[in-house]
Amino acid sequence: MKKKKTPLRKCIACQTQEDKKHLFRIVRSPEGEVLLDPTGKKNGRGAYLSKDRICIEKARKNQLLSKQLKTDVNPDIYDEMLTLLEHPS
């Protein structure tokens, strides 16, 4: 039986490749709205961050999401990711 490939993506903060399921996907929609994409299927330009407090804080400090998505990112996105880390649903 053939083993199914797992999609790998690179974290924009630590530059490590991980399974797509172990990363947050942040997307800039065609309308310009930036939001967290828990399904990983929304349309738009996406960026991936490891589910790690250090990576999230590094991305916030260096404005990595703003650079990657080429738009201003509301700081609430970072807070939302940190909340999801502390209280996974």
Side-chain angles (χ1 to χ4, degrees), residues 29-59:
S29 68
E31 294 80 33
E33 184 182 15
V34 176
L35 43 106
L36 203 54
D37 180 12
T39 63
K41 297 182 180 187
K42 291 187 180 179
N43 286 337
R45 183 178 184 87
Y48 292 88
L49 266 176
S50 294
K51 292 184 178 179
D52 180 22
R53 177 176 289 281
I54 295 168
C55 287
I56 295 169
E57 293 297 341
K58 181 178 179 181

PDB file of all heavy atoms in Angstrom, residues 29-59:
ATOM      1  N   SER A  29      -7.053  37.674   2.588  1.00  0.00           N
ATOM      2  CA  SER A  29      -8.107  37.373   1.619  1.00  0.00           C
ATOM      3  C   SER A  29      -8.009  38.322   0.419  1.00  0.00           C
ATOM      4  O   SER A  29      -7.343  39.363   0.508  1.00  0.00           O
ATOM      5  CB  SER A  29      -9.475  37.510   2.283  1.00  0.00           C
ATOM      6  OG  SER A  29      -9.732  38.855   2.602  1.00  0.00           O
ATOM      7  N   PRO A  30      -8.668  37.987  -0.675  1.00  0.00           N
ATOM      8  CA  PRO A  30      -8.652  38.883  -1.838  1.00  0.00           C
ATOM      9  C   PRO A  30      -9.192  40.284  -1.523  1.00  0.00           C
ATOM     10  O   PRO A  30      -8.850  41.253  -2.191  1.00  0.00           O
ATOM     11  CB  PRO A  30      -9.553  38.172  -2.849  1.00  0.00           C
ATOM     12  CG  PRO A  30      -9.461  36.731  -2.474  1.00  0.00           C
ATOM     13  CD  PRO A  30      -9.328  36.717  -0.978  1.00  0.00           C
ATOM     14  N   GLU A  31     -10.015  40.397  -0.471  1.00  0.00           N
ATOM     15  CA  GLU A  31     -10.548  41.702  -0.059  1.00  0.00           C
ATOM     16  C   GLU A  31      -9.544  42.486   0.785  1.00  0.00           C
ATOM     17  O   GLU A  31      -9.792  43.632   1.141  1.00  0.00           O
ATOM     18  CB  GLU A  31     -11.843  41.528   0.747  1.00  0.00           C
ATOM     19  CG  GLU A  31     -13.000  40.951  -0.050  1.00  0.00           C
ATOM     20  CD  GLU A  31     -12.927  39.437  -0.204  1.00  0.00           C
ATOM     21  OE1 GLU A  31     -12.427  38.759   0.712  1.00  0.00           O
ATOM     22  OE2 GLU A  31     -13.349  38.942  -1.255  1.00  0.00           O
ATOM     23  N   GLY A  32      -8.418  41.853   1.170  1.00  0.00           N
ATOM     24  CA  GLY A  32      -7.397  42.527   1.960  1.00  0.00           C
ATOM     25  C   GLY A  32      -7.495  42.270   3.450  1.00  0.00           C
ATOM     26  O   GLY A  32      -6.707  42.799   4.221  1.00  0.00           O
ATOM     27  N   GLU A  33      -8.448  41.454   3.881  1.00  0.00           N
ATOM     28  CA  GLU A  33      -8.625  41.141   5.300  1.00  0.00           C
ATOM     29  C   GLU A  33      -7.625  40.062   5.718  1.00  0.00           C
ATOM     30  O   GLU A  33      -7.428  39.078   5.014  1.00  0.00           O
ATOM     31  CB  GLU A  33     -10.058  40.648   5.518  1.00  0.00           C
ATOM     32  CG  GLU A  33     -10.405  40.373   6.941  1.00  0.00           C
ATOM     33  CD  GLU A  33     -11.813  39.837   7.089  1.00  0.00           C
ATOM     34  OE1 GLU A  33     -12.427  39.420   6.082  1.00  0.00           O
ATOM     35  OE2 GLU A  33     -12.286  39.812   8.233  1.00  0.00           O
ATOM     36  N   VAL A  34      -6.977  40.243   6.866  1.00  0.00           N
ATOM     37  CA  VAL A  34      -6.023  39.268   7.379  1.00  0.00           C
ATOM     38  C   VAL A  34      -6.684  38.513   8.523  1.00  0.00           C
ATOM     39  O   VAL A  34      -7.197  39.116   9.463  1.00  0.00           O
ATOM     40  CB  VAL A  34      -4.734  39.954   7.874  1.00  0.00           C
ATOM     41  CG1 VAL A  34      -3.793  38.944   8.496  1.00  0.00           C
ATOM     42  CG2 VAL A  34      -4.055  40.678   6.730  1.00  0.00           C
ATOM     43  N   LEU A  35      -6.696  37.175   8.420  1.00  0.00           N
ATOM     44  CA  LEU A  35      -7.320  36.377   9.459  1.00  0.00           C
ATOM     45  C   LEU A  35      -6.670  35.019   9.588  1.00  0.00           C
ATOM     46  O   LEU A  35      -5.961  34.560   8.701  1.00  0.00           O
ATOM     47  CB  LEU A  35      -8.823  36.234   9.202  1.00  0.00           C
ATOM     48  CG  LEU A  35      -9.281  35.947   7.781  1.00  0.00           C
ATOM     49  CD1 LEU A  35      -9.720  34.517   7.650  1.00  0.00           C
ATOM     50  CD2 LEU A  35     -10.419  36.871   7.463  1.00  0.00           C
ATOM     51  N   LEU A  36      -6.919  34.388  10.727  1.00  0.00           N
ATOM     52  CA  LEU A  36      -6.406  33.060  11.004  1.00  0.00           C
ATOM     53  C   LEU A  36      -7.252  32.054  10.244  1.00  0.00           C
ATOM     54  O   LEU A  36      -8.478  32.162  10.220  1.00  0.00           O
ATOM     55  CB  LEU A  36      -6.490  32.809  12.510  1.00  0.00           C
ATOM     56  CG  LEU A  36      -5.585  31.780  13.118  1.00  0.00           C
ATOM     57  CD1 LEU A  36      -4.132  32.032  12.792  1.00  0.00           C
ATOM     58  CD2 LEU A  36      -5.764  31.757  14.622  1.00  0.00           C
ATOM     59  N   ASP A  37      -6.622  31.078   9.618  1.00  0.00           N
ATOM     60  CA  ASP A  37      -7.330  30.089   8.809  1.00  0.00           C
ATOM     61  C   ASP A  37      -7.156  28.697   9.416  1.00  0.00           C
ATOM     62  O   ASP A  37      -6.208  27.989   9.072  1.00  0.00           O
ATOM     63  CB  ASP A  37      -6.778  30.130   7.380  1.00  0.00           C
ATOM     64  CG  ASP A  37      -7.455  29.130   6.461  1.00  0.00           C
ATOM     65  OD1 ASP A  37      -8.492  28.571   6.839  1.00  0.00           O
ATOM     66  OD2 ASP A  37      -6.927  28.918   5.357  1.00  0.00           O
ATOM     67  N   PRO A  38      -8.063  28.294  10.309  1.00  0.00           N
ATOM     68  CA  PRO A  38      -7.923  26.979  10.946  1.00  0.00           C
ATOM     69  C   PRO A  38      -8.123  25.808   9.985  1.00  0.00           C
ATOM     70  O   PRO A  38      -7.569  24.733  10.182  1.00  0.00           O
ATOM     71  CB  PRO A  38      -8.988  26.982  12.038  1.00  0.00           C
ATOM     72  CG  PRO A  38      -9.949  28.050  11.674  1.00  0.00           C
ATOM     73  CD  PRO A  38      -9.213  29.032  10.812  1.00  0.00           C
ATOM     74  N   THR A  39      -8.866  26.015   8.896  1.00  0.00           N
ATOM     75  CA  THR A  39      -9.106  24.929   7.948  1.00  0.00           C
ATOM     76  C   THR A  39      -7.965  24.766   6.963  1.00  0.00           C
ATOM     77  O   THR A  39      -7.768  23.687   6.416  1.00  0.00           O
ATOM     78  CB  THR A  39     -10.397  25.185   7.138  1.00  0.00           C
ATOM     79  OG1 THR A  39     -10.221  26.368   6.362  1.00  0.00           O
ATOM     80  CG2 THR A  39     -11.598  25.339   8.046  1.00  0.00           C
ATOM     81  N   GLY A  40      -7.221  25.844   6.702  1.00  0.00           N
ATOM     82  CA  GLY A  40      -6.130  25.798   5.742  1.00  0.00           C
ATOM     83  C   GLY A  40      -6.596  25.815   4.313  1.00  0.00           C
ATOM     84  O   GLY A  40      -5.836  25.514   3.396  1.00  0.00           O
ATOM     85  N   LYS A  41      -7.855  26.192   4.082  1.00  0.00           N
ATOM     86  CA  LYS A  41      -8.403  26.124   2.734  1.00  0.00           C
ATOM     87  C   LYS A  41      -8.965  27.440   2.208  1.00  0.00           C
ATOM     88  O   LYS A  41      -9.508  27.477   1.120  1.00  0.00           O
ATOM     89  CB  LYS A  41      -9.506  25.070   2.694  1.00  0.00           C
ATOM     90  CG  LYS A  41      -8.978  23.686   2.996  1.00  0.00           C
ATOM     91  CD  LYS A  41     -10.054  22.645   2.910  1.00  0.00           C
ATOM     92  CE  LYS A  41      -9.440  21.293   3.228  1.00  0.00           C
ATOM     93  NZ  LYS A  41     -10.322  20.194   3.018  1.00  0.00           N
ATOM     94  N   LYS A  42      -8.847  28.501   2.979  1.00  0.00           N
ATOM     95  CA  LYS A  42      -9.399  29.780   2.526  1.00  0.00           C
ATOM     96  C   LYS A  42      -8.576  30.334   1.380  1.00  0.00           C
ATOM     97  O   LYS A  42      -7.374  30.116   1.295  1.00  0.00           O
ATOM     98  CB  LYS A  42      -9.435  30.780   3.673  1.00  0.00           C
ATOM     99  CG  LYS A  42     -10.450  30.416   4.726  1.00  0.00           C
ATOM    100  CD  LYS A  42     -10.590  31.488   5.751  1.00  0.00           C
ATOM    101  CE  LYS A  42     -11.633  31.051   6.770  1.00  0.00           C
ATOM    102  NZ  LYS A  42     -11.812  32.019   7.821  1.00  0.00           N
ATOM    103  N   ASN A  43      -9.249  31.080   0.510  1.00  0.00           N
ATOM    104  CA  ASN A  43      -8.571  31.711  -0.623  1.00  0.00           C
ATOM    105  C   ASN A  43      -7.735  32.881  -0.152  1.00  0.00           C
ATOM    106  O   ASN A  43      -8.099  33.578   0.777  1.00  0.00           O
ATOM    107  CB  ASN A  43      -9.595  32.221  -1.642  1.00  0.00           C
ATOM    108  CG  ASN A  43     -10.213  31.098  -2.430  1.00  0.00           C
ATOM    109  OD1 ASN A  43      -9.643  30.031  -2.543  1.00  0.00           O
ATOM    110  ND2 ASN A  43     -11.387  31.356  -2.977  1.00  0.00           N
ATOM    111  N   GLY A  44      -6.627  33.084  -0.817  1.00  0.00           N
ATOM    112  CA  GLY A  44      -5.790  34.239  -0.529  1.00  0.00           C
ATOM    113  C   GLY A  44      -4.348  33.833  -0.303  1.00  0.00           C
ATOM    114  O   GLY A  44      -3.975  32.672  -0.351  1.00  0.00           O
ATOM    115  N   ARG A  45      -3.531  34.843  -0.062  1.00  0.00           N
ATOM    116  CA  ARG A  45      -2.101  34.634   0.181  1.00  0.00           C
ATOM    117  C   ARG A  45      -1.920  34.160   1.609  1.00  0.00           C
ATOM    118  O   ARG A  45      -2.404  34.780   2.546  1.00  0.00           O
ATOM    119  CB  ARG A  45      -1.366  35.951  -0.048  1.00  0.00           C
ATOM    120  CG  ARG A  45       0.122  35.851   0.111  1.00  0.00           C
ATOM    121  CD  ARG A  45       0.769  37.213  -0.193  1.00  0.00           C
ATOM    122  NE  ARG A  45       2.203  37.112  -0.142  1.00  0.00           N
ATOM    123  CZ  ARG A  45       2.968  36.748  -1.166  1.00  0.00           C
ATOM    124  NH1 ARG A  45       2.414  36.469  -2.325  1.00  0.00           N
ATOM    125  NH2 ARG A  45       4.270  36.681  -1.039  1.00  0.00           N
ATOM    126  N   GLY A  46      -1.204  33.064   1.794  1.00  0.00           N
ATOM    127  CA  GLY A  46      -1.043  32.499   3.122  1.00  0.00           C
ATOM    128  C   GLY A  46       0.382  32.535   3.626  1.00  0.00           C
ATOM    129  O   GLY A  46       1.334  32.587   2.856  1.00  0.00           O
ATOM    130  N   ALA A  47       0.497  32.535   4.950  1.00  0.00           N
ATOM    131  CA  ALA A  47       1.791  32.443   5.619  1.00  0.00           C
ATOM    132  C   ALA A  47       1.617  31.462   6.773  1.00  0.00           C
ATOM    133  O   ALA A  47       0.531  31.345   7.346  1.00  0.00           O
ATOM    134  CB  ALA A  47       2.222  33.803   6.140  1.00  0.00           C
ATOM    135  N   TYR A  48       2.684  30.753   7.108  1.00  0.00           N
ATOM    136  CA  TYR A  48       2.615  29.727   8.140  1.00  0.00           C
ATOM    137  C   TYR A  48       3.539  30.063   9.302  1.00  0.00           C
ATOM    138  O   TYR A  48       4.653  30.541   9.099  1.00  0.00           O
ATOM    139  CB  TYR A  48       3.013  28.368   7.560  1.00  0.00           C
ATOM    140  CG  TYR A  48       2.003  27.843   6.569  1.00  0.00           C
ATOM    141  CD1 TYR A  48       2.078  28.182   5.227  1.00  0.00           C
ATOM    142  CD2 TYR A  48       0.963  27.027   6.984  1.00  0.00           C
ATOM    143  CE1 TYR A  48       1.148  27.711   4.314  1.00  0.00           C
ATOM    144  CE2 TYR A  48       0.026  26.556   6.078  1.00  0.00           C
ATOM    145  CZ  TYR A  48       0.123  26.895   4.750  1.00  0.00           C
ATOM    146  OH  TYR A  48      -0.810  26.438   3.867  1.00  0.00           O
ATOM    147  N   LEU A  49       3.032  29.807  10.528  1.00  0.00           N
ATOM    148  CA  LEU A  49       3.800  30.008  11.749  1.00  0.00           C
ATOM    149  C   LEU A  49       3.691  28.760  12.604  1.00  0.00           C
ATOM    150  O   LEU A  49       2.603  28.204  12.749  1.00  0.00           O
ATOM    151  CB  LEU A  49       3.241  31.185  12.553  1.00  0.00           C
ATOM    152  CG  LEU A  49       3.853  32.541  12.354  1.00  0.00           C
ATOM    153  CD1 LEU A  49       3.097  33.588  13.150  1.00  0.00           C
ATOM    154  CD2 LEU A  49       5.303  32.556  12.736  1.00  0.00           C
ATOM    155  N   SER A  50       4.806  28.341  13.185  1.00  0.00           N
ATOM    156  CA  SER A  50       4.798  27.188  14.080  1.00  0.00           C
ATOM    157  C   SER A  50       3.906  27.467  15.277  1.00  0.00           C
ATOM    158  O   SER A  50       3.773  28.602  15.718  1.00  0.00           O
ATOM    159  CB  SER A  50       6.209  26.885  14.593  1.00  0.00           C
ATOM    160  OG  SER A  50       7.033  26.477  13.546  1.00  0.00           O
ATOM    161  N   LYS A  51       3.312  26.408  15.793  1.00  0.00           N
ATOM    162  CA  LYS A  51       2.490  26.539  17.000  1.00  0.00           C
ATOM    163  C   LYS A  51       3.417  26.538  18.204  1.00  0.00           C
ATOM    164  O   LYS A  51       3.457  25.608  18.995  1.00  0.00           O
ATOM    165  CB  LYS A  51       1.471  25.409  17.071  1.00  0.00           C
ATOM    166  CG  LYS A  51       0.418  25.520  15.998  1.00  0.00           C
ATOM    167  CD  LYS A  51      -0.638  24.455  16.120  1.00  0.00           C
ATOM    168  CE  LYS A  51      -1.691  24.648  15.038  1.00  0.00           C
ATOM    169  NZ  LYS A  51      -2.732  23.637  15.088  1.00  0.00           N
ATOM    170  N   ASP A  52       4.179  27.632  18.298  1.00  0.00           N
ATOM    171  CA  ASP A  52       5.198  27.784  19.323  1.00  0.00           C
ATOM    172  C   ASP A  52       5.230  29.254  19.737  1.00  0.00           C
ATOM    173  O   ASP A  52       5.280  30.149  18.884  1.00  0.00           O
ATOM    174  CB  ASP A  52       6.552  27.357  18.752  1.00  0.00           C
ATOM    175  CG  ASP A  52       7.685  27.485  19.735  1.00  0.00           C
ATOM    176  OD1 ASP A  52       7.429  27.491  20.943  1.00  0.00           O
ATOM    177  OD2 ASP A  52       8.842  27.580  19.273  1.00  0.00           O
ATOM    178  N   ARG A  53       5.191  29.495  21.037  1.00  0.00           N
ATOM    179  CA  ARG A  53       5.162  30.861  21.560  1.00  0.00           C
ATOM    180  C   ARG A  53       6.356  31.682  21.061  1.00  0.00           C
ATOM    181  O   ARG A  53       6.220  32.847  20.695  1.00  0.00           O
ATOM    182  CB  ARG A  53       5.153  30.825  23.088  1.00  0.00           C
ATOM    183  CG  ARG A  53       5.200  32.190  23.729  1.00  0.00           C
ATOM    184  CD  ARG A  53       5.084  32.114  25.234  1.00  0.00           C
ATOM    185  NE  ARG A  53       3.760  31.728  25.672  1.00  0.00           N
ATOM    186  CZ  ARG A  53       2.722  32.560  25.735  1.00  0.00           C
ATOM    187  NH1 ARG A  53       2.870  33.808  25.361  1.00  0.00           N
ATOM    188  NH2 ARG A  53       1.553  32.151  26.154  1.00  0.00           N
ATOM    189  N   ILE A  54       7.533  31.070  21.001  1.00  0.00           N
ATOM    190  CA  ILE A  54       8.743  31.789  20.576  1.00  0.00           C
ATOM    191  C   ILE A  54       8.614  32.276  19.132  1.00  0.00           C
ATOM    192  O   ILE A  54       8.952  33.417  18.818  1.00  0.00           O
ATOM    193  CB  ILE A  54       9.989  30.895  20.748  1.00  0.00           C
ATOM    194  CG1 ILE A  54      10.205  30.603  22.233  1.00  0.00           C
ATOM    195  CG2 ILE A  54      11.224  31.540  20.145  1.00  0.00           C
ATOM    196  CD1 ILE A  54      11.217  29.525  22.521  1.00  0.00           C
ATOM    197  N   CYS A  55       8.092  31.428  18.254  1.00  0.00           N
ATOM    198  CA  CYS A  55       7.924  31.820  16.849  1.00  0.00           C
ATOM    199  C   CYS A  55       6.891  32.934  16.700  1.00  0.00           C
ATOM    200  O   CYS A  55       7.082  33.863  15.912  1.00  0.00           O
ATOM    201  CB  CYS A  55       7.510  30.613  16.009  1.00  0.00           C
ATOM    202  SG  CYS A  55       8.852  29.449  15.734  1.00  0.00           S
ATOM    203  N   ILE A  56       5.812  32.843  17.468  1.00  0.00           N
ATOM    204  CA  ILE A  56       4.768  33.871  17.386  1.00  0.00           C
ATOM    205  C   ILE A  56       5.311  35.215  17.871  1.00  0.00           C
ATOM    206  O   ILE A  56       5.091  36.244  17.232  1.00  0.00           O
ATOM    207  CB  ILE A  56       3.524  33.439  18.191  1.00  0.00           C
ATOM    208  CG1 ILE A  56       2.897  32.194  17.545  1.00  0.00           C
ATOM    209  CG2 ILE A  56       2.502  34.574  18.259  1.00  0.00           C
ATOM    210  CD1 ILE A  56       1.838  31.518  18.377  1.00  0.00           C
ATOM    211  N   GLU A  57       6.053  35.197  18.978  1.00  0.00           N
ATOM    212  CA  GLU A  57       6.621  36.444  19.503  1.00  0.00           C
ATOM    213  C   GLU A  57       7.672  37.020  18.552  1.00  0.00           C
ATOM    214  O   GLU A  57       7.755  38.237  18.372  1.00  0.00           O
ATOM    215  CB  GLU A  57       7.231  36.215  20.892  1.00  0.00           C
ATOM    216  CG  GLU A  57       6.219  35.882  21.967  1.00  0.00           C
ATOM    217  CD  GLU A  57       5.199  36.985  22.241  1.00  0.00           C
ATOM    218  OE1 GLU A  57       5.444  38.157  21.886  1.00  0.00           O
ATOM    219  OE2 GLU A  57       4.138  36.660  22.799  1.00  0.00           O
ATOM    220  N   LYS A  58       8.464  36.159  17.921  1.00  0.00           N
ATOM    221  CA  LYS A  58       9.464  36.623  16.953  1.00  0.00           C
ATOM    222  C   LYS A  58       8.779  37.271  15.749  1.00  0.00           C
ATOM    223  O   LYS A  58       9.218  38.317  15.255  1.00  0.00           O
ATOM    224  CB  LYS A  58      10.338  35.450  16.508  1.00  0.00           C
ATOM    225  CG  LYS A  58      11.421  35.834  15.530  1.00  0.00           C
ATOM    226  CD  LYS A  58      12.280  34.653  15.155  1.00  0.00           C
ATOM    227  CE  LYS A  58      13.346  35.030  14.161  1.00  0.00           C
ATOM    228  NZ  LYS A  58      14.178  33.892  13.781  1.00  0.00           N
ATOM    229  N   ALA A  59       7.694  36.642  15.276  1.00  0.00           N
ATOM    230  CA  ALA A  59       6.957  37.196  14.140  1.00  0.00           C
ATOM    231  C   ALA A  59       6.343  38.548  14.497  1.00  0.00           C
ATOM    232  O   ALA A  59       6.342  39.475  13.684  1.00  0.00           O
ATOM    233  CB  ALA A  59       5.876  36.216  13.703  1.00  0.00           C
TER     234      ALA A  59
END
